Amino acid sequence: MVWRRTSKSCSQQWTCGGSSYIALLSLVLFLGRWITCNLKVVLPYFDKIVSPVSVAHFSQYKLVRLLLKRLENLGFHTCTPDMLQSLNQDMLWEKKILMGHECISLHPTDQGVMVGASFQKEGKMEERKFHCSILVASDGARSTVRNLVGINMKGEHDLQKLVSIHFMSKDLGQYLLQQRPGMLFFIFNPEAIGVLVAHDLNQGEFVLQVPYYPPQQKFEDFSSKVCKQIIFKLVGWEPVDVEVVDIKPWAMHAEVAEKFVSCNNRVILVGDAAHRFPPAGGFGMNTGIQDAHNLAWKISSLLNNIASPSIIQTYEVERRPIAISNTNLSVQNFKAAMSVPTALGLDPTMANSVHQVINSSIGSILPSSMQKAVLEGIFSIGRSQLSEFFLNEDNPIGSMRLARLRSIFHEGKSLQLQFPAEDLGFCYLEGALVADGGNRTLETEAASGHRSGPRDYIPSAKPGSRLPHMQVRALNASFSKDIFSTLDLIPGDKLEFLLIIAPVEKSYDLARSTLKVAEEFKVSLKVCIIWPEGSSDKQETGSGTKLDPWTNHIDVEEIKRSSSKSWWELCHMTSKGFILVRPDEHIAWRSDSDTLDNIVPEVERVLSLILGVEKSCV
């Protein structure tokens, strides 16, 4: 997958696979706007209290279609190898998304990376070369690029092998809508075990995850006919309209790459290529999109000669600790989910131990057919514990297990599906920011791997945190909407930093100085002045004369919920403070304006640290 910007004599190339495709398209989308402009994206969450939009469940392939559509609207074109034959060579790669290409080689050069990609032409595999300044690898959990540059993964390997069955059944969807509406179903019965994900009950779209144990059980054995029978066994009846769309094997890992950046900042891993988690909590796709959001503004700043190449290193510095933390949490959540079958007498660790024994020297002397029969026979005996004859209140053991199961659910010790503190409250401790110390809980927990369970999201203006959400109202006509979120203050049409202040004289002084220094650093900066609620009723409300000669500013007033905090209280600051926000909505710097004696040198120091440049080099 290639996008090239020839006007700057530089290019970027991506190779993609698996759910990293989402991270890749997100990155291209962010960059596609940020090379000339920035795309504003807010992840949906939590009933519009801590985010301007609410939570949603959206299938990956539908998100891919949506991202591709947005890219097309930005002038990108999806091309197959055959379509490239008719293109003018000079314009061949510009704003092209090349399908059917796979990275097979790469060689660092003085100016970038020479990449070899294979593609099929008239039934034969051929290779074409690309020279790019930056190679962004989002080629999935088995990343070829990662292997080619020699980056190893650290963590737990092969936690479980599964078969993913994508199927359609409106009959099943309607039944569940009427009888048992839900999104995620863990199914345990004497005939089969699986996890059913309902992507769209109205359309009857499902994905079924079934554990399997090679080499005794072969992926080739999971034909459409066999998969239909598994579906029937799991749902307990035979919907007549079941249509198997796709069948794929996959392995569950909990690993993070030792490095995210290689080859002198020329090769960058994102998404599953950089980290792979158990699918417990939705961390895989969310973390990949966060990777793209973090990286896009940095690549754009580099290409626009605003930042030095060292800004790429801050991507690894910031994102790798988050990936480690999310890996630990997803493993913990996966183990919590496994407490349910364990309570029922189906300890997954025992199943894996049985499989290891059969694969050992003792079991391996048996013919493969006998190994399979032994394995499935033992599993069948284990599943028999789920029969109504055994699992009932009159059976002492069955009654005890049911009581244990009720206790797990009552105490919330099973699978958790929402992680507000991690989805919205993750904080970068160092990187392209000016840290002010404080709580390092996230770093400690990431290293230890221990969590006490899902935590509430607490808005914070600490450097590295995501800008808190609050509804505000524009006090002038410079904004397209009357009421909007503070997150919408990050523009959607350019690569721009944001300085938030209160209407305080010393803060205006700081804003004028910051605008002047930003201009010298070639950084686009907008100033937002947040007025207290009710300011629109006053006759004199506005900051035009206070910030002359600069005009890139906006006055807004708070819209507080009943008994809610003011903006500065929400940020745990006073109205004497100020907040500098990066283009990815994370806070780069904060302080109190009346504590700065030498404003200009301090702002110069801050921008130098964030962008990795010295003023003399600007």
Side-chain angles (χ1 to χ4, degrees), residues 459 558 560 564-575:
E558 307 166 339
K560 296 196 298 182
S564 65
K565 299 177 179 179
S566 71
W567 168 254
W568 297 105
E569 289 172 337
L570 182 69
C571 294
H572 307 285
M573 297 177 65
T574 72
S575 59

Side-chain angles (χ1 to χ4, degrees), residues 232-415:
F232 296 156
K233 289 177 181 178
L234 284 168
V235 302
W237 55 291
E238 298 187 9
V240 296
D241 65 341
V242 170
E243 177 189 354
V244 176
V245 178
D246 195 19
I247 310 165
K248 289 181 178 178
W250 65 282
M252 184 188 300
H253 310 286
E255 298 177 310
V256 177
E258 290 183 327
K259 297 192 299 181
F260 284 13
V261 178
S262 183
C263 301
N264 195 27
N265 300 326
R266 301 290 191 179
V267 177
I268 308 168
L269 307 184
V270 301
D272 287 355
H275 41 72
R276 41 198 191 187
F277 315 133
F283 290 106
M285 185 181 297
N286 287 335
T287 307
I289 293 174
Q290 292 168 12
D291 290 345
H293 203 197
N294 181 283
L295 181 60
W297 77 272
K298 296 174 180 178
I299 290 180
S300 183
S301 297
L302 177 60
L303 295 182
N304 284 286
N305 298 316
I306 296 171
S308 74
S310 65
I311 199 170
I312 301 301
Q313 280 294 332
T314 68
Y315 163 70
E316 177 179 316
V317 169
E318 293 177 355
R319 292 303 305 162
R320 192 168 180 274
I322 303 298
I324 292 172
S325 177
N326 288 348
T327 301
N328 293 333
L329 187 53
S330 64
V331 170
Q332 179 180 322
N333 202 30
F334 170 68
K335 291 178 178 178
M338 292 303 99
S339 67
V340 173
T342 301
L344 294 171
L346 303 174
D347 189 342
T349 60
M350 291 298 296
N352 291 330
S353 297
V354 168
H355 187 224
Q356 290 174 7
V357 169
I358 294 175
N359 285 335
S360 68
S361 56
I362 298 175
S364 62
I365 62 175
L366 300 174
S368 58
S369 59
M370 188 174 294
Q371 291 183 39
K372 181 178 180 180
V374 170
L375 181 72
E376 294 184 348
I378 293 173
F379 287 172
S380 178
I381 293 172
R383 290 195 304 269
S384 66
Q385 300 176 80
L386 300 170
S387 67
E388 293 182 6
F389 173 79
F390 186 84
L391 202 60
N392 63 73
E393 297 293 353
D394 295 327
N395 184 306
I397 297 178
S399 177
M400 179 183 67
R401 289 178 176 177
L402 289 172
R404 189 183 306 158
L405 195 61
R406 284 191 292 268
S407 174
I408 290 171
F409 291 136
H410 178 71
E411 296 175 13
K413 293 183 178 179
S414 183
L415 180 75

Side-chain angles (χ1 to χ4, degrees), residues 156-168:
E156 299 183 55
H157 189 77
D158 266 356
L159 292 170
Q160 178 72 63
K161 286 186 168 64
L162 301 104
V163 172
S164 178
I165 306 167
H166 182 194
F167 72 95
M168 306 292 293

